[in-house]
Amino acid sequence: MLRKISRLFIIKTRLEAYVIIFALAVGAMERGKLYLVEYPGTGGWLLFWACSGSVLLAGAKVLDALRYERQPPR
């Protein structure tokens, strides 16, 4: 039973990866908007762009991991 539940948390396809990356991006942009309100000016904008950059890096890592898992073992 535990194995069946754990399979829900494994990313198997690129479509699932894109959905997860989209959800991360929505959350990061919402957090970035809050940074713009909390820290007006250059500091807020730097934090906003840091949020979006982190999603780009995390998304690339997820997609690379999927590609790595599909390669045949050496």
Side-chain angles (χ1 to χ4, degrees):
M1 183 65 176
L2 191 58
R3 181 172 291 235
K4 287 183 181 181
I5 293 172
S6 67
R7 288 185 58 185
L8 293 173
F9 298 98
I10 297 174
I11 303 170
K12 300 174 204 83
T13 64
R14 291 178 69 85
L15 178 65
E16 291 173 351
Y18 288 131
V19 170
I20 290 171
I21 293 167
F22 177 75
L24 287 173
V26 169
M29 292 300 100
E30 186 65 31
R31 184 68 194 162
K33 286 186 343 186
L34 293 175
Y35 280 143
L36 289 174
V37 172
E38 187 73 25
Y39 305 106
T42 307
W45 281 105
L46 289 173
L47 290 169
F48 177 85
W49 289 111
C51 287
S52 65
S54 66
V55 171
L56 291 174
L57 293 174
K61 189 68 173 173
V62 168
L63 292 174
D64 283 346
L66 279 176
R67 185 178 303 134
Y68 177 75
E69 287 178 356
R70 292 200 181 260
Q71 288 180 351
R74 295 183 188 182

